[in-house]
Amino acid sequence: MSRYRLIIATALIVIVIPITILYGIYFLNDRKYYFISMLIITFTLVPFLLVFEKRAPQARELIVIAVLSAIAVAGRAAFFMLPQFKPVVAIVIIAGVSLGAEAGFLVGVLTGFVSNFFFGQGPWTPWQMFCFGIIGFIAGLLFKKGKLNRTKLSLCVYGGLATFFIYGGIINIGSLMMFTAEFSFEALVATYISAIGFDLIHAVATVFFLYILSQTMLEKLDRIKVKYGLIEREKYS
């Protein structure tokens, strides 16, 4: 990933998108979540499209992103009867490792938005979109920097920790801000404590699905990229 793309992507993901979510809470009374969700998707597309720099992305390249998002949506729907036990984070991590940080964030954002047409849209949607996306983005960055490899152990350790601390850490702040007007440290601590069980189940689910899916999916994605010349890793250098 070139330096200017990294700066733009990081600024949009770490600064602009969180500000957009907070704007929806404090200035739109947390009711315009469709509008905020669409803004997040728009901001997400900017760093992703910069990957292609001097040429337009081919349809088949975008299809890979769409298919991974569809798999994640279907996986979330398939396990609807098991609260928090979902394969979404695992698939987002696989996307980030295989296709790059921007693609990982895009898969996470799209999955959060589309799947909530089945699970219910609400002010929690932008928070979930961001949480899913940021885990995929970080996975892609860590893999590119050599801090994360493609082994089951490495992916499972990252997936478990990221789900518990990043997803849980952020979504619990969102939960508190959605359901109370008085934000306090004591209330935040109580929210974290009450959510430990849910966060642990979610983390275990991510580890489980990474263990059974990661190697097969990564191999299939590698074959697709080689066969059709899709989104090669060199583009992220």
Side-chain angles (χ1 to χ4, degrees), residues 8-137:
I8 293 173
T10 302
L12 286 169
I13 292 169
V14 177
I15 300 174
V16 176
I17 291 179
I19 289 175
T20 301
I21 295 173
L22 294 176
Y23 176 80
I25 293 173
Y26 289 108
F27 293 95
L28 301 178
N29 298 318
D30 216 10
R31 302 305 303 167
K32 304 296 183 181
Y33 41 83
Y34 276 113
F35 174 66
I36 298 300
S37 297
M38 293 307 299
L39 282 180
I40 293 173
I41 292 173
T42 301
F43 293 143
T44 303
L45 288 173
V46 173
F48 174 72
L49 293 177
L50 285 175
V51 170
F52 300 95
E53 293 183 328
K54 297 181 180 180
R55 67 177 181 84
Q58 300 178 38
R60 59 189 178 184
E61 293 168 330
L62 298 178
I63 287 173
V64 177
I65 303 296
V67 169
L68 284 173
S69 300
I71 291 173
V73 170
R76 191 180 182 198
F79 289 86
F80 75 93
M81 75 296 290
L82 300 176
Q84 301 302 109
F85 199 87
K86 307 290 189 293
V88 176
V89 176
I91 295 171
V92 168
I93 290 171
I94 292 169
V97 169
S98 179
L99 305 178
E102 297 98 333
F105 192 83
L106 181 56
V107 170
V109 165
L110 291 177
T111 300
F113 182 65
V114 175
S115 63
N116 274 355
F117 283 103
F118 300 97
F119 285 84
Q121 298 285 355
W124 51 84
T125 298
W127 290 94
Q128 291 176 328
M129 292 167 64
F130 179 74
C131 290
F132 288 140
I134 195 65
I135 291 176
F137 183 77

